Amino acid sequence: TVVDFGCGFSHFCLGMARLVGDAGEVIAVDLQQKALNKTMARARKASSDKIIHPLCCGANSVGLNKEVDFILASNSLHETPDPGATLREFLAALKPGCLLYLMEPTTHLEPERFEAEVEMAKAVGFVQVDRPKVRKEMCALLQKPASQESSGGSV
């Protein structure tokens, strides 16, 4: 079970659906119902609508109600009103040992702000695994420690 947080118009959902296959699940999360409607239209066209499930989140809550294996937060964490609270929700939703891939755009987010997000992630309990290089993106691969319970620290 994987999450595409801030899925927009499904830029990553369809590829994630191909990766998880029929036995997997992609939870497409967005604040805007219009984006989720477009995502599901594209999912139907790609015959992935049984794998991709939309979740309209609130401004202050992601709303995940199950444990997941992976979360992609692409160009979205900086848009949340409380990134620390969002990161705590991510940590609580992830199974121990599982990963969060954080990406933010270099085009409209300062490197210092991205570094602050990574530090917030560490403060709530994530461990940095890698800093992948992606053109026009700042990225961090973060892991929920295998021995950690479902509640993180505070920010």
Side-chain angles (χ1 to χ4, degrees), residues 11-125:
H11 184 76
F12 294 107
C13 286
L14 297 176
M16 293 169 89
R18 285 190 298 275
L19 288 171
V20 301
D22 292 339
E25 178 183 10
V26 176
I27 303 170
V29 180
D30 206 283
L31 181 63
Q32 298 179 29
Q33 187 62 49
K34 178 181 176 183
L36 294 171
N37 293 345
K38 179 71 171 177
T39 291
M40 293 313 297
R42 293 183 75 198
R44 280 187 292 283
K45 188 173 181 181
S47 299
S48 296
D49 53 319
K50 302 245 186 303
I51 298 168
I52 299 173
H53 301 102
L55 174 62
C56 193
C57 65
N60 295 307
S61 176
V62 179
L64 291 169
N65 60 4
K66 62 175 10 181
E67 282 192 318
V68 301
D69 301 293
F70 178 78
I71 298 172
L72 169 65
S74 173
N75 304 333
S76 54
L77 186 63
H78 73 276
E79 298 283 349
T80 64
D82 186 348
T86 302
L87 288 163
R88 284 190 294 278
E89 277 195 71
F90 288 165
L91 189 75
L94 280 167
K95 295 175 185 172
C98 290
L99 299 167
L100 163 65
Y101 191 79
L102 179 62
M103 288 178 33
E104 293 284 21
T106 58
T107 53
H108 65 272
L109 192 73
E110 304 81 23
E112 297 80 20
R113 190 153 168 217
F114 179 73
E115 293 307 321
E117 289 180 354
V118 172
E119 290 306 313
M120 273 188 256
K122 291 177 186 177
V124 302

